[in-house]
Amino acid sequence: VGSSDAAGNRGLPATPRDGCAIELVGLSYQTLKWVQELFEKGVSETQHVLVEKKGGYTAKTLFKQWLTSIEENFDKYFWNDAGDFYRDTVTLDPQYDCNEDEFRPNQ
C-alpha cells in the first residue's frame, strides 16, 4: 500500500489486483498441508474448518479435501499456456478481466 501524499498514493495498492492472488493460494496450500500433517501425527484433533454459506447454513470442509481442490485446480487457473508462466491473479467473475496474460517482474 502506498504511503506518499506527494504521489497521491497514500492508502492505495501499489499494484492493484482484483481476484485471487497466486501467492495467497500458495500460502493457503502450505498452511493447509501443515495443519493436515499435525492432524495425521496426532498433534491436533482438528481436521476441518466450518464455513458459513449463503442461506445461513454451515458446511464442514476437511483440510484434505481443500488441499485436493487446490492441487486439482491450481494449474488449471493460474498457468498461462500461451506465455509458459503462472498468472499473478485470476478471477472467475466475468465482470472483471484481471486474468493476467503478461509476465510481471515480481514473478
Side-chain angles (χ1 to χ4, degrees):
V1 175
S3 60
S4 173
D5 290 323
N9 70 351
R10 181 174 296 280
L12 300 173
T15 57
R17 298 185 291 180
D18 183 40
C20 190
I22 192 168
E23 66 271 20
L24 297 181
V25 176
L27 288 169
S28 298
Y29 179 83
Q30 292 295 25
T31 302
L32 288 164
K33 190 174 172 184
W34 175 66
V35 294
Q36 176 63 26
E37 288 172 1
L38 292 176
F39 171 73
E40 290 173 358
K41 292 177 181 176
V43 177
S44 173
E45 295 179 10
T46 304
Q47 64 176 329
H48 67 272
V49 291
L50 299 176
V51 181
E52 291 184 27
K53 299 285 190 172
K54 291 180 182 175
Y57 72 96
T58 303
K60 180 171 28 175
T61 301
L62 295 173
F63 296 139
K64 199 168 205 165
Q65 291 171 323
W66 198 349
L67 282 166
T68 300
S69 179
I70 293 173
E71 289 166 354
E72 291 174 352
N73 291 289
F74 190 83
D75 281 350
K76 176 180 173 182
Y77 291 103
F78 282 104
W79 183 248
N80 179 337
D81 285 325
D84 285 339
F85 61 86
Y86 284 100
R87 291 178 176 93
D88 194 46
T89 59
V90 295
T91 183
L92 300 179
D93 189 339
Q95 174 180 334
Y96 302 101
D97 182 23
C98 71
N99 294 338
E100 297 198 7
D101 290 325
E102 295 179 8
F103 185 76
R104 293 171 54 112
N106 65 335
Q107 294 174 303

